[in-house]
Coordinates of all heavy atoms in Angstrom, one line a residue:
L1 N 0.9 -1.3 -0.1 CA 0.0 0.0 -0.1 C 0.8 1.2 0.0 O 1.9 1.3 0.7 CB -0.9 0.1 1.3 CG -1.9 -1.2 1.4 CD1 -2.7 -0.9 2.6 CD2 -3.0 -1.1 0.2
S2 N 0.4 2.4 -0.6 CA 1.1 3.6 -0.7 C 0.9 4.5 0.6 O 0.0 3.9 1.5 CB 0.6 4.4 -1.8 OG -0.7 4.9 -1.6
A3 N 1.6 5.3 0.8 CA 1.5 6.1 2.0 C 0.1 6.8 2.1 O -0.5 6.8 3.2 CB 2.5 7.3 2.0
L4 N -0.5 7.1 1.1 CA -1.9 7.7 0.9 C -2.9 6.6 1.3 O -3.8 6.8 2.1 CB -2.1 8.3 -0.5 CG -3.6 8.8 -0.7 CD1 -3.9 10.0 0.3 CD2 -3.8 9.3 -2.1
E5 N -2.7 5.4 0.7 CA -3.6 4.4 1.0 C -3.6 3.9 2.6 O -4.7 3.7 3.2 CB -3.3 3.1 0.1 CG -3.7 3.4 -1.3 CD -3.2 2.5 -2.2 OE1 -2.3 1.6 -1.8 OE2 -3.6 2.4 -3.4
L6 N -2.4 4.0 3.1 CA -2.3 3.6 4.5 C -2.9 4.7 5.4 O -3.6 4.3 6.2 CB -0.8 3.4 4.9 CG -0.2 2.2 4.5 CD1 1.3 2.2 4.7 CD2 -0.8 1.0 5.1
A7 N -2.8 5.9 5.1 CA -3.4 7.0 5.8 C -4.9 7.0 5.7 O -5.6 7.2 6.7 CB -2.9 8.4 5.3
V8 N -5.4 6.7 4.5 CA -6.9 6.5 4.3 C -7.3 5.2 5.2 O -8.3 5.3 6.0 CB -7.3 6.3 2.9 CG1 -8.7 5.9 2.7 CG2 -7.0 7.6 2.1
K9 N -6.6 4.2 4.9 CA -7.1 2.9 5.6 C -7.1 3.1 7.2 O -8.1 2.4 7.8 CB -6.1 1.8 5.4 CG -6.4 0.5 6.0 CD -5.4 -0.7 5.5 CE -5.8 -1.9 6.2 NZ -5.1 -3.1 5.8
Y10 N -6.3 3.8 7.7 CA -6.2 3.9 9.2 C -6.9 5.3 9.6 O -6.7 5.7 10.7 CB -4.9 3.8 9.7 CG -4.4 2.4 9.6 CD1 -3.5 2.0 8.6 CD2 -4.9 1.3 10.3 CE1 -3.1 0.7 8.4 CE2 -4.6 0.0 10.2 CZ -3.7 -0.2 9.3 OH -3.2 -1.7 9.1
S11 N -7.6 5.9 8.8 CA -8.4 7.1 9.1 C -7.6 8.2 9.6 O -8.1 8.9 10.5 CB -9.5 6.6 10.0 OG -10.7 7.4 9.7
H12 N -6.5 8.5 9.0 CA -5.7 9.6 9.5 C -5.9 10.9 8.6 O -5.2 11.1 7.7 CB -4.2 9.3 9.6 CG -3.8 8.2 10.6 ND1 -3.8 8.6 11.8 CD2 -3.5 7.0 10.4 CE1 -3.5 7.4 12.5 NE2 -3.3 6.4 11.6
A13 N -7.1 11.5 8.8 CA -7.5 12.6 7.9 C -6.4 13.7 7.9 O -6.2 14.2 6.6 CB -8.7 13.2 8.5
D14 N -5.8 14.1 8.9 CA -4.7 15.1 8.8 C -3.6 14.7 7.8 O -3.1 15.5 7.0 CB -4.2 15.5 10.1 CG -5.1 16.1 11.0 OD1 -6.1 16.8 10.5 OD2 -4.9 16.1 12.3
T15 N -3.2 13.5 8.0 CA -2.1 12.9 7.1 C -2.6 12.9 5.6 O -1.8 13.2 4.6 CB -1.7 11.5 7.5 OG1 -1.3 11.6 8.9 CG2 -0.5 10.9 6.6
V16 N -3.8 12.4 5.4 CA -4.4 12.4 4.1 C -4.3 13.8 3.5 O -4.0 14.1 2.3 CB -6.0 11.8 4.1 CG1 -6.5 11.9 2.6 CG2 -5.8 10.3 4.5
R17 N -4.8 14.8 4.2 CA -4.9 16.1 3.7 C -3.4 16.7 3.4 O -3.3 17.2 2.3 CB -5.5 17.1 4.9 CG -5.8 18.4 4.5 CD -6.4 19.2 5.5 NE -7.7 18.8 5.9 CZ -8.1 18.1 7.0 NH1 -7.2 17.9 8.0 NH2 -9.3 17.6 7.2
L18 N -2.5 16.4 4.3 CA -1.1 16.8 3.9 C -0.5 16.0 2.7 O 0.1 16.7 1.9 CB -0.2 16.3 5.2 CG 1.3 16.7 5.1 CD1 1.6 18.2 4.9 CD2 2.1 16.1 6.2
L19 N -0.8 14.8 2.5 CA -0.3 14.1 1.3 C -1.0 14.7 0.0 O -0.3 14.8 -0.8 CB -0.8 12.5 1.4 CG 0.2 11.7 2.5 CD1 -0.4 10.4 2.7 CD2 1.6 11.8 1.9
F20 N -2.4 15.0 0.2 CA -2.9 15.6 -1.1 C -2.4 17.1 -1.3 O -2.3 17.4 -2.4 CB -4.5 15.7 -0.8 CG -5.1 14.4 -1.3 CD1 -6.2 13.9 -0.5 CD2 -4.8 13.7 -2.4 CE1 -7.0 12.8 -0.8 CE2 -5.5 12.5 -2.7 CZ -6.5 12.1 -1.9
K21 N -2.1 17.7 -0.3 CA -1.4 19.1 -0.5 C -0.1 18.9 -1.1 O 0.3 19.8 -1.9 CB -1.3 19.8 0.9 CG -2.5 20.4 1.5 CD -2.4 21.2 2.7 CE -3.6 21.8 3.2 NZ -3.6 22.6 4.4
R22 N 0.6 17.8 -0.8 CA 1.9 17.6 -1.4 C 1.8 16.8 -2.7 O 2.8 16.2 -3.2 CB 2.7 16.8 -0.4 CG 3.0 17.7 0.8 CD 4.4 17.4 1.3 NE 4.5 18.4 2.5 CZ 5.3 18.1 3.6 NH1 5.9 17.0 3.7 NH2 5.5 19.1 4.5
D23 N 0.6 16.9 -3.2 CA 0.3 16.3 -4.6 C 0.4 14.7 -4.7 O 0.7 14.2 -5.8 CB 1.2 16.9 -5.7 CG 0.6 17.0 -7.1 OD1 -0.7 16.9 -7.1 OD2 1.3 17.0 -8.2
A24 N 0.0 14.1 -3.6 CA -0.1 12.5 -3.6 C -1.2 12.3 -4.6 O -2.3 12.9 -4.6 CB -0.3 12.0 -2.4
K25 N -1.1 11.3 -5.4 CA -2.2 10.8 -6.4 C -2.7 9.6 -5.9 O -2.0 8.6 -5.4 CB -1.6 10.7 -7.8 CG -1.0 12.1 -8.2 CD -2.0 13.0 -8.6 CE -1.4 14.2 -9.3 NZ -2.2 15.4 -9.0
S26 N -4.0 9.3 -6.0 CA -4.7 7.9 -5.9 C -4.3 7.0 -7.0 O -4.2 7.4 -8.2 CB -6.1 8.2 -5.9 OG -6.6 8.9 -4.9
K27 N -3.9 5.9 -6.7 CA -3.6 4.8 -7.7 C -5.0 4.5 -8.4 O -5.9 4.1 -7.7 CB -3.0 3.6 -7.2 CG -1.5 3.7 -6.8 CD -0.9 2.3 -6.5 CE -1.2 2.0 -5.1 NZ -0.6 0.7 -4.8
V28 N -4.9 4.7 -9.7 CA -6.1 4.2 -10.4 C -5.6 3.2 -11.5 O -4.9 3.7 -12.4 CB -6.9 5.3 -11.1 CG1 -8.1 5.0 -12.0 CG2 -7.3 6.4 -10.0
C29 N -6.0 2.1 -11.5 CA -5.6 1.0 -12.3 C -6.7 1.0 -13.6 O -7.9 1.1 -13.4 CB -5.7 -0.3 -11.7 SG -4.5 -0.4 -10.2
R30 N -6.1 0.8 -14.7 CA -6.9 0.8 -15.9 C -7.2 -0.6 -16.3 O -7.4 -0.8 -17.5 CB -6.1 1.6 -17.0 CG -5.7 2.9 -16.7 CD -7.0 3.9 -16.8 NE -6.5 5.3 -16.5 CZ -7.2 6.0 -15.6 NH1 -8.3 5.7 -14.9 NH2 -6.7 7.3 -15.5
I31 N -7.4 -1.5 -15.4 CA -7.8 -2.8 -15.8 C -9.2 -2.9 -15.9 O -10.0 -2.1 -15.3 CB -7.2 -3.8 -14.7 CG1 -7.8 -3.5 -13.4 CG2 -5.8 -4.0 -14.7 CD1 -7.5 -4.5 -12.2
S32 N -9.7 -3.9 -16.8 CA -11.1 -3.9 -17.0 C -11.6 -4.8 -15.9 O -11.5 -6.1 -16.0 CB -11.5 -4.4 -18.3 OG -10.9 -5.7 -18.5
S33 N -12.2 -4.4 -14.8 CA -12.7 -5.0 -13.7 C -13.9 -4.3 -13.0 O -14.0 -3.1 -13.0 CB -11.5 -5.3 -12.7 OG -12.0 -5.9 -11.4
D34 N -14.7 -5.0 -12.3 CA -15.7 -4.4 -11.7 C -15.5 -4.2 -10.2 O -16.2 -3.7 -9.4 CB -17.1 -5.2 -11.9 CG -17.7 -5.0 -13.3 OD1 -17.4 -4.1 -14.0 OD2 -18.3 -6.0 -13.7
N35 N -14.3 -4.7 -9.8 CA -13.8 -4.7 -8.5 C -13.2 -3.3 -8.2 O -11.9 -3.2 -8.6 CB -12.9 -5.8 -8.3 CG -12.5 -6.1 -6.7 OD1 -12.7 -5.1 -6.0 ND2 -12.0 -7.2 -6.4
I36 N -13.8 -2.5 -7.5 CA -13.4 -1.3 -7.1 C -12.2 -1.2 -6.2 O -11.3 -0.4 -6.2 CB -14.5 -0.3 -6.5 CG1 -14.1 1.1 -6.4 CG2 -14.7 -0.7 -5.1 CD1 -14.1 1.8 -7.7
A37 N -11.9 -2.3 -5.6 CA -10.7 -2.4 -4.6 C -9.4 -2.6 -5.5 O -8.4 -2.2 -5.2 CB -10.9 -3.6 -3.7
E38 N -9.6 -3.1 -6.7 CA -8.5 -3.3 -7.6 C -8.3 -2.0 -8.5 O -7.2 -1.6 -8.8 CB -8.8 -4.5 -8.5 CG -8.8 -5.8 -7.9 CD -9.0 -7.0 -8.7 OE1 -9.3 -6.8 -10.0 OE2 -9.0 -8.1 -8.3
T39 N -9.5 -1.5 -8.9 CA -9.4 -0.4 -9.9 C -9.2 1.1 -9.2 O -8.6 1.9 -9.8 CB -10.6 -0.2 -10.7 OG1 -11.6 0.0 -9.9 CG2 -10.7 -1.4 -11.6
N40 N -9.6 1.3 -8.0 CA -9.3 2.5 -7.3 C -9.3 2.2 -5.7 O -10.2 2.5 -4.9 CB -10.5 3.5 -7.6 CG -10.1 4.9 -7.1 OD1 -9.5 5.0 -6.0 ND2 -10.4 5.9 -7.8
P41 N -8.2 1.6 -5.3 CA -8.0 1.2 -3.8 C -8.2 2.4 -2.9 O -8.7 2.2 -1.8 CB -6.7 0.5 -3.8 CG -5.9 1.0 -5.0 CD -6.9 1.3 -6.0
T42 N -7.8 3.6 -3.2 CA -7.9 4.6 -2.2 C -9.4 4.9 -1.9 O -9.8 5.0 -0.8 CB -7.1 5.8 -2.7 OG1 -5.8 5.5 -3.1 CG2 -7.1 7.1 -1.7
L43 N -10.2 5.1 -3.0 CA -11.6 5.3 -2.8 C -12.3 4.2 -2.1 O -13.0 4.4 -1.1 CB -12.3 5.5 -4.1 CG -13.8 5.8 -4.1 CD1 -14.1 7.0 -3.2 CD2 -14.4 5.9 -5.5
Y44 N -11.9 3.0 -2.4 CA -12.4 1.8 -1.8 C -12.1 1.8 -0.2 O -13.0 1.7 0.5 CB -11.9 0.4 -2.4 CG -12.1 -0.8 -1.5 CD1 -13.5 -1.3 -1.5 CD2 -11.2 -1.3 -0.8 CE1 -13.7 -2.4 -0.8 CE2 -11.5 -2.5 -0.1 CZ -12.7 -3.0 0.0 OH -12.9 -4.1 0.8
L45 N -10.9 2.1 0.1 CA -10.5 2.2 1.6 C -11.3 3.3 2.3 O -11.6 3.3 3.4 CB -9.0 2.3 1.6 CG -8.2 1.1 1.2 CD1 -6.7 1.5 1.1 CD2 -8.5 0.0 2.2
A46 N -11.5 4.4 1.6 CA -12.0 5.6 2.1 C -13.5 5.2 2.4 O -14.2 5.7 3.5 CB -12.0 6.8 1.2
C47 N -14.2 4.6 1.6 CA -15.6 4.1 1.8 C -15.7 3.1 3.0 O -16.8 3.0 3.5 CB -16.1 3.5 0.5 SG -16.4 4.9 -0.8
R48 N -14.8 2.5 3.4 CA -14.9 1.5 4.4 C -14.6 2.4 5.8 O -14.6 1.7 6.8 CB -13.7 0.4 4.3 CG -14.1 -0.4 3.1 CD -13.4 -1.8 3.1 NE -13.8 -2.4 4.4 CZ -13.1 -3.5 4.9 NH1 -11.9 -3.8 4.3 NH2 -13.5 -4.1 6.0
Q49 N -14.2 3.6 5.7 CA -13.9 4.3 7.0 C -15.2 5.2 7.4 O -16.1 5.4 6.7 CB -12.8 5.3 6.7 CG -11.5 4.7 6.3 CD -11.2 3.5 7.1 OE1 -11.1 3.5 8.3 NE2 -10.8 2.4 6.4
Y50 N -15.3 5.5 8.7 CA -16.3 6.2 9.3 C -16.1 7.7 9.1 O -17.1 8.5 9.2 CB -16.5 6.0 10.7 CG -16.8 4.5 11.0 CD1 -16.0 3.7 11.6 CD2 -18.1 4.1 10.8 CE1 -16.4 2.4 11.8 CE2 -18.5 2.8 10.9 CZ -17.6 1.9 11.6 OH -18.1 0.6 11.8
N51 N -15.0 8.1 8.7 CA -14.6 9.6 8.5 C -15.0 10.0 7.2 O -14.2 9.8 6.2 CB -13.0 9.7 8.8 CG -12.7 11.1 8.9 OD1 -13.4 12.1 8.4 ND2 -11.5 11.4 9.6
T52 N -16.0 10.7 7.1 CA -16.5 11.3 5.8 C -15.5 12.3 5.2 O -15.6 12.6 4.0 CB -18.0 11.8 5.9 OG1 -18.1 12.8 6.9 CG2 -18.9 10.7 6.2
Q53 N -14.9 12.9 6.0 CA -13.9 13.9 5.5 C -13.0 13.3 4.5 O -12.5 13.9 3.6 CB -13.0 14.6 6.6 CG -13.7 15.6 7.5 CD -12.8 16.1 8.6 OE1 -11.9 15.3 9.1 NE2 -13.0 17.3 8.9
I54 N -12.5 12.1 4.9 CA -11.5 11.4 4.0 C -12.2 11.1 2.6 O -11.6 11.3 1.6 CB -11.0 10.2 4.6 CG1 -10.0 10.5 5.8 CG2 -10.2 9.2 3.7 CD1 -9.6 9.5 6.7
I55 N -13.4 10.6 2.6 CA -14.1 10.3 1.4 C -14.2 11.6 0.6 O -14.0 11.6 -0.6 CB -15.5 9.8 1.7 CG1 -15.4 8.5 2.4 CG2 -16.4 9.7 0.4 CD1 -16.8 7.9 2.8
E56 N -14.6 12.8 1.2 CA -14.7 14.0 0.6 C -13.4 14.4 0.0 O -13.4 14.9 -1.1 CB -15.4 15.1 1.4 CG -16.8 14.8 1.8 CD -17.2 15.8 2.9 OE1 -16.5 16.7 3.4 OE2 -18.4 15.5 3.5
M57 N -12.3 14.2 0.7 CA -11.0 14.6 0.2 C -10.7 13.8 -1.0 O -10.1 14.3 -2.1 CB -9.9 14.4 1.2 CG -9.9 15.6 2.4 SD -8.5 15.4 3.3 CE -9.2 14.4 4.7
C58 N -10.9 12.6 -1.1 CA -10.7 11.7 -2.1 C -11.5 12.1 -3.3 O -10.9 12.1 -4.4 CB -11.0 10.2 -1.7 SG -9.7 9.5 -0.5
L59 N -12.8 12.3 -3.2 CA -13.6 12.7 -4.3 C -13.1 14.0 -4.8 O -13.2 14.2 -6.1 CB -15.0 12.7 -3.9 CG -15.7 11.5 -3.4 CD1 -17.1 11.7 -2.9 CD2 -15.8 10.5 -4.7
S60 N -12.7 14.9 -4.1 CA -12.5 16.2 -4.6 C -11.0 16.3 -5.3 O -10.7 17.0 -6.2 CB -12.3 17.3 -3.5 OG -11.3 17.1 -2.6
Q61 N -10.1 15.3 -5.0 CA -8.8 15.3 -5.6 C -8.8 14.5 -6.9 O -8.0 14.8 -7.7 CB -7.8 14.5 -4.6 CG -7.5 15.4 -3.5 CD -6.8 16.7 -3.7 OE1 -5.9 16.9 -4.6 NE2 -7.3 17.8 -3.2
D62 N -9.7 13.5 -7.0 CA -9.7 12.7 -8.3 C -10.8 13.0 -9.1 O -12.0 12.6 -9.1 CB -9.8 11.1 -7.8 CG -9.6 10.2 -9.1 OD1 -9.7 10.8 -10.2 OD2 -9.4 9.1 -8.8
H63 N -10.6 13.8 -10.1 CA -11.7 14.4 -11.0 C -12.2 13.2 -12.0 O -13.1 13.5 -12.7 CB -11.1 15.6 -11.8 CG -10.7 16.6 -10.8 ND1 -11.6 17.3 -9.9 CD2 -9.6 17.2 -10.5 CE1 -11.0 18.2 -9.2 NE2 -9.6 18.2 -9.4
S64 N -11.5 12.2 -12.0 CA -12.0 11.1 -12.9 C -13.2 10.3 -12.3 O -13.7 9.5 -13.0 CB -10.8 10.2 -13.3 OG -10.4 9.5 -12.3
L65 N -13.3 10.4 -11.0 CA -14.3 9.7 -10.3 C -15.7 10.1 -10.9 O -16.1 11.2 -11.0 CB -14.3 9.9 -8.8 CG -13.1 9.3 -8.2 CD1 -13.0 9.7 -6.7 CD2 -13.0 7.8 -8.3
T66 N -16.5 9.1 -11.1 CA -17.9 9.2 -11.6 C -18.7 8.9 -10.3 O -18.4 8.0 -9.6 CB -18.2 8.4 -12.7 OG1 -18.0 6.9 -12.4 CG2 -17.3 8.7 -13.9
P67 N -20.1 9.2 -10.4 CA -21.0 8.8 -9.4 C -21.0 7.1 -9.5 O -21.3 6.6 -8.4 CB -22.4 9.3 -9.9 CG -21.9 10.7 -10.5 CD -20.7 10.4 -11.2
K68 N -21.0 6.6 -10.6 CA -21.0 5.1 -10.7 C -19.9 4.5 -10.1 O -20.1 3.4 -9.3 CB -21.0 4.7 -12.2 CG -21.0 3.2 -12.4 CD -21.1 2.8 -13.9 CE -21.2 1.2 -14.0 NZ -21.0 0.9 -15.5
K69 N -18.7 5.1 -10.1 CA -17.4 4.5 -9.4 C -17.6 4.7 -7.9 O -17.3 3.8 -7.2 CB -16.1 5.4 -9.8 CG -15.8 4.8 -11.1 CD -14.5 5.5 -11.6 CE -14.0 5.3 -13.0 NZ -12.8 6.1 -13.4
Y70 N -18.2 5.8 -7.5 CA -18.4 6.1 -6.0 C -19.4 5.1 -5.5 O -19.2 4.5 -4.4 CB -18.8 7.4 -5.8 CG -19.1 7.8 -4.3 CD1 -18.1 7.8 -3.5 CD2 -20.4 8.0 -4.1 CE1 -18.4 8.1 -2.2 CE2 -20.8 8.4 -2.7 CZ -19.7 8.4 -1.7 OH -20.0 8.7 -0.4
L71 N -20.5 4.8 -6.2 CA -21.6 3.9 -5.7 C -21.0 2.5 -5.7 O -21.3 1.7 -4.9 CB -22.8 4.0 -6.7 CG -23.6 5.3 -6.5 CD1 -24.7 5.3 -7.5 CD2 -24.2 5.3 -5.1
S72 N -20.1 2.2 -6.6 CA -19.5 0.9 -6.7 C -18.6 0.7 -5.4 O -18.5 -0.4 -4.9 CB -18.7 0.7 -8.0 OG -18.0 -0.5 -7.9
A73 N -17.8 1.7 -5.1 CA -17.0 1.6 -4.0 C -17.9 1.4 -2.7 O -17.5 0.6 -1.8 CB -16.2 2.9 -3.9
M74 N -18.9 2.2 -2.6 CA -19.9 2.1 -1.4 C -20.5 0.7 -1.3 O -20.5 0.2 -0.2 CB -21.0 3.1 -1.5 CG -20.4 4.6 -1.2 SD -19.8 4.8 0.4 CE -21.0 4.4 1.5
K75 N -20.8 0.2 -2.4 CA -21.5 -1.1 -2.5 C -20.4 -2.2 -2.0 O -20.8 -3.0 -1.2 CB -22.0 -1.5 -3.8 CG -22.6 -2.9 -3.9 CD -23.2 -3.1 -5.3 CE -23.7 -4.6 -5.4 NZ -24.0 -4.9 -6.9
A76 N -19.3 -2.2 -2.5 CA -18.2 -3.2 -2.1 C -17.9 -3.0 -0.6 O -17.8 -4.0 0.0 CB -16.9 -2.9 -3.1
A77 N -17.8 -1.9 -0.2 CA -17.5 -1.6 1.3 C -18.6 -2.1 2.1 O -18.4 -2.7 3.1 CB -17.3 -0.2 1.5
L78 N -19.9 -1.8 1.8 CA -21.0 -2.4 2.5 C -21.2 -3.9 2.5 O -21.4 -4.6 3.6 CB -22.3 -1.8 2.1 CG -22.5 -0.3 2.3 CD1 -23.7 0.2 1.5 CD2 -22.8 -0.2 3.8
E79 N -20.9 -4.5 1.4 CA -20.8 -6.0 1.3 C -19.8 -6.6 2.3 O -20.2 -7.6 2.9 CB -20.5 -6.4 -0.1 CG -21.7 -6.2 -1.1 CD -21.2 -6.5 -2.5 OE1 -20.1 -6.9 -2.8 OE2 -22.2 -6.4 -3.4
I80 N -18.7 -6.1 2.3 CA -17.6 -6.5 3.4 C -18.1 -6.3 4.7 O -18.0 -7.1 5.5 CB -16.3 -5.9 3.0 CG1 -15.6 -6.5 1.7 CG2 -15.2 -6.1 4.2 CD1 -14.4 -5.9 1.4
E81 N -18.6 -5.1 5.0 CA -18.9 -4.8 6.3 C -20.0 -5.8 6.8 O -20.3 -6.1 8.0 CB -19.3 -3.3 6.4 CG -18.2 -2.3 6.3 CD -17.0 -2.5 7.3 OE1 -17.3 -2.8 8.5 OE2 -16.0 -2.4 6.9
N82 N -20.9 -6.1 6.0 CA -22.0 -6.9 6.3 C -21.8 -8.4 6.4 O -22.6 -9.2 6.9 CB -23.3 -6.6 5.3 CG -23.9 -5.4 5.5 OD1 -23.9 -4.8 6.5 ND2 -24.4 -4.8 4.4
T83 N -20.6 -8.8 5.8 CA -20.2 -10.2 5.9 C -19.3 -10.4 7.1 O -19.0 -11.6 7.4 CB -19.6 -10.7 4.8 OG1 -18.4 -10.0 4.4 CG2 -20.6 -10.7 3.5
T84 N -18.8 -9.4 7.7 CA -17.9 -9.6 8.8 C -18.5 -9.4 10.2 O -19.4 -8.9 10.3 CB -16.6 -8.7 8.8 OG1 -17.0 -7.4 8.6 CG2 -15.7 -9.1 7.5

């Protein structure tokens, strides 16, 4: 995992903010997959956190995100949360 992904995963909003200020980029894989964890791990990890500030930061930094991608990330996160 990248520094950004780790900060998102462990809900460190101040670190996420600092990394974005220093121009950290979310990894976005161009593979053809419906699995958001593979195609946009930062957004996926953000959707699994309770801190909505982190989700908002991720959405504002990645202009390629579409509502469909966001909903896919939320669905994947909810599926995992409901099975554990």
Side-chain angles (χ1 to χ4, degrees):
L1 296 177
S2 68
L4 178 60
E5 290 166 345
L6 286 171
V8 169
K9 180 177 181 174
Y10 292 105
S11 213
H12 293 289
D14 292 337
T15 304
V16 172
R17 189 174 296 106
L18 177 66
L19 288 168
F20 277 136
K21 281 183 182 178
R22 297 213 172 144
D23 209 25
K25 301 288 184 207
S26 299
K27 282 192 277 184
V28 178
C29 301
R30 301 287 182 227
I31 59 175
S32 61
S33 172
D34 291 334
N35 185 342
I36 194 73
E38 293 175 0
T39 58
N40 194 323
T42 306
L43 177 62
Y44 167 74
L45 291 167
C47 288
R48 294 198 60 201
Q49 305 309 313
Y50 295 109
N51 191 335
T52 57
Q53 285 180 329
I54 293 175
I55 295 172
E56 290 171 9
M57 283 187 270
C58 291
L59 291 173
S60 69
Q61 292 296 316
D62 190 345
H63 301 292
S64 70
L65 291 176
T66 63
K68 183 179 177 181
K69 288 180 186 176
Y70 177 68
L71 289 173
S72 175
M74 289 299 297
K75 181 181 173 190
L78 286 170
E79 286 173 0
I80 288 177
E81 294 301 319
N82 289 327
T83 60
T84 56

